[in-house]
Amino acid sequence: MKKAFLLATVLAAPLWGMAQKSNLDAAQLLRDVQVLSADSMQGRLSGSEGNALAQDYILGRFKELGLKPYNGDFKQHFRIDAKRVQVDKATNLVGYIPGKSGKAIVVTAHYDHVGQRNGDIYNGADDNASGIGALLAAIAHFAKHPPKHTIVFAALDGEELGLQGARAFVENPPLPLQDILLNVNMDMLGINDKGELYASGTYHYPALKPYLQQVKPRPNAKLVLGHDQPEQGHDDWTGQSDHFRFHERGIPYVYFGVEDHPYYHKPTDDYEQVNKAFYPDAAALVIDFLERIDGKLERLPQKTQP
């Protein structure tokens, strides 16, 4: 994921104390990120031993939280044939919490990172152990508060090699694509000194804006809209993470992430850099949005054509 600074409009919202729905276990959230960004994971490059260790940890948490697998197996294997790396058995990890509507929301975050370079381990605490930590926190929430719509949780592989895991998911989905109402993608939620979490996607899907405006700010994090207009060039995040593969198929998305920081794709993207006050609140904002939209979402219009 690549991002840069952009002025945007902060969503107007009532005071934080008026409504807070998600009860997030901040200690567990941070523990998940700390484990996944440890040196032992070797930077989680697709196809590596460290990537396999990350898979094992995530699978253990899926089972602990009671997530259900499709056809008895959480693993979706696929091949990556990229310029830098060929991987015969890359692996998405996919499960779900059943709803009652027959339709689904797909929540994604990639667990791979860039591995090791010149003797340095690129631990990817923010990119994207933070997204996986929030995904696990969302599973924990909806396991206790059953959703209206089925929520599919996908920890995707191969994002750093060209959004390969997301491509594999939409090409071989565990449920019909026409039953997917929305993709919510999380990529880098853990480091922002201004307390700003961006929600990108309302330019293409303006019907999503009212749902995002209902999300109340937290003491250490607030939602900001932006980074989704074609004229913004590199500052347009539309094609810069896994949500793009859903967008290509006309599936509405919201992408939650922070702007670039000095640790992005550097060996210094370590657990110690994660903002321990901002990150739990940022993850809670995503869960609040999911809960609100799950209760009201029926069918969003397809993407606009600029």
Side-chain angles (χ1 to χ4, degrees):
M1 179 184 62
K2 298 179 179 179
K3 304 187 284 291
F5 177 76
L6 173 70
L7 290 176
T9 303
V10 177
L11 296 179
L15 293 176
W16 173 79
M18 292 180 66
Q20 289 302 299
K21 292 194 173 183
S22 60
N23 296 314
L24 183 145
D25 184 343
Q28 181 63 60
L29 177 77
L30 292 168
R31 190 177 305 116
D32 288 334
V33 174
Q34 186 174 26
V35 171
L36 288 167
S37 60
D39 285 351
S40 59
M41 298 290 177
Q42 304 170 5
R44 306 188 307 278
L45 180 67
S46 296
S48 69
E49 179 182 345
N51 182 280
L53 290 173
Q55 289 179 39
D56 290 343
Y57 180 79
I58 295 167
L59 285 172
R61 294 284 287 123
F62 276 11
K63 295 171 184 176
E64 177 184 319
L65 292 168
L67 200 64
K68 296 180 180 297
Y70 282 97
N71 301 315
D73 192 356
F74 289 110
K75 294 184 178 182
Q76 179 193 47
H77 297 301
F78 61 98
R79 177 176 171 78
I80 296 176
D81 191 4
K83 289 182 179 179
R84 289 181 287 125
V85 179
Q86 286 72 46
V87 182
D88 290 329
K89 190 182 279 189
T91 306
N92 291 334
L93 306 173
V94 183
Y96 69 99
I97 294 175
K100 300 177 181 179
S101 74
K103 299 292 185 179
I105 297 169
V106 177
V107 180
T108 54
H110 73 93
Y111 69 91
D112 66 298
H113 194 52
V114 300
Q116 303 179 71
R117 299 174 180 176
N118 301 317
D120 291 321
I121 301 175
Y122 288 63
N123 284 318
D126 197 23
D127 187 12
N128 185 34
S130 67
I132 293 295
L135 182 142
L136 294 171
I139 296 171
H141 175 82
F142 286 102
K144 296 177 181 178
H145 307 281
K148 175 181 177 181
H149 303 290
T150 292
I151 303 185
V152 180
F153 293 93
L156 300 175
D157 199 0
E159 191 272 352
E160 300 288 359
L161 299 174
L163 318 184
Q164 300 291 339
R167 184 196 299 275
F169 183 95
V170 298
E171 288 181 349
N172 186 26
L175 72 166
L177 288 181
Q178 60 265 30
D179 290 341
I180 299 175
L181 299 172
L182 177 69
N183 170 233
V184 173
N185 184 41
M186 297 175 286
D187 195 348
M188 294 174 58
L189 274 66
I191 302 174
N192 184 274
D193 293 336
K194 296 182 291 184
E196 294 177 346
L197 178 69
Y198 272 82
S200 175
T202 59
Y203 171 83
H204 300 287
Y205 306 100
L208 288 166
K209 186 178 293 187
Y211 298 102
L212 290 162
Q213 289 174 326
Q214 293 167 13
V215 177
K216 308 301 187 293
R218 295 265 169 167
N220 301 294
K222 59 181 177 289
L223 284 182
V224 181
L225 293 182
H227 290 298
D228 52 14
Q229 300 183 30
E231 62 268 23
Q232 293 170 340
H234 182 74
D235 290 337
D236 175 11
W237 299 350
T238 302
Q240 296 186 14
S241 188
D242 289 317
H243 56 276
F244 180 64
R245 298 305 182 197
F246 294 85
H247 179 58
E248 286 182 314
R249 302 297 182 105
I251 298 170
Y253 74 87
V254 180
Y255 165 33
F256 291 99
V258 298
E259 291 178 328
D260 272 356
H261 49 68
Y263 316 110
Y264 169 69
H265 273 206
K266 299 284 177 55
T268 50
D269 185 6
D270 292 323
Y271 173 74
E272 288 71 24
Q273 309 299 345
V274 172
N275 188 313
K276 309 305 188 297
F278 167 75
Y279 173 49
D281 278 2
L285 290 177
V286 179
I287 295 171
D288 285 351
F289 168 73
L290 281 167
E291 187 172 66
R292 289 174 184 276
I293 202 165
D294 171 63
K296 299 176 182 178
L297 181 63
E298 294 303 330
R299 184 70 197 178
L300 291 170
Q302 299 302 292
K303 66 181 178 182
T304 59
Q305 296 299 322

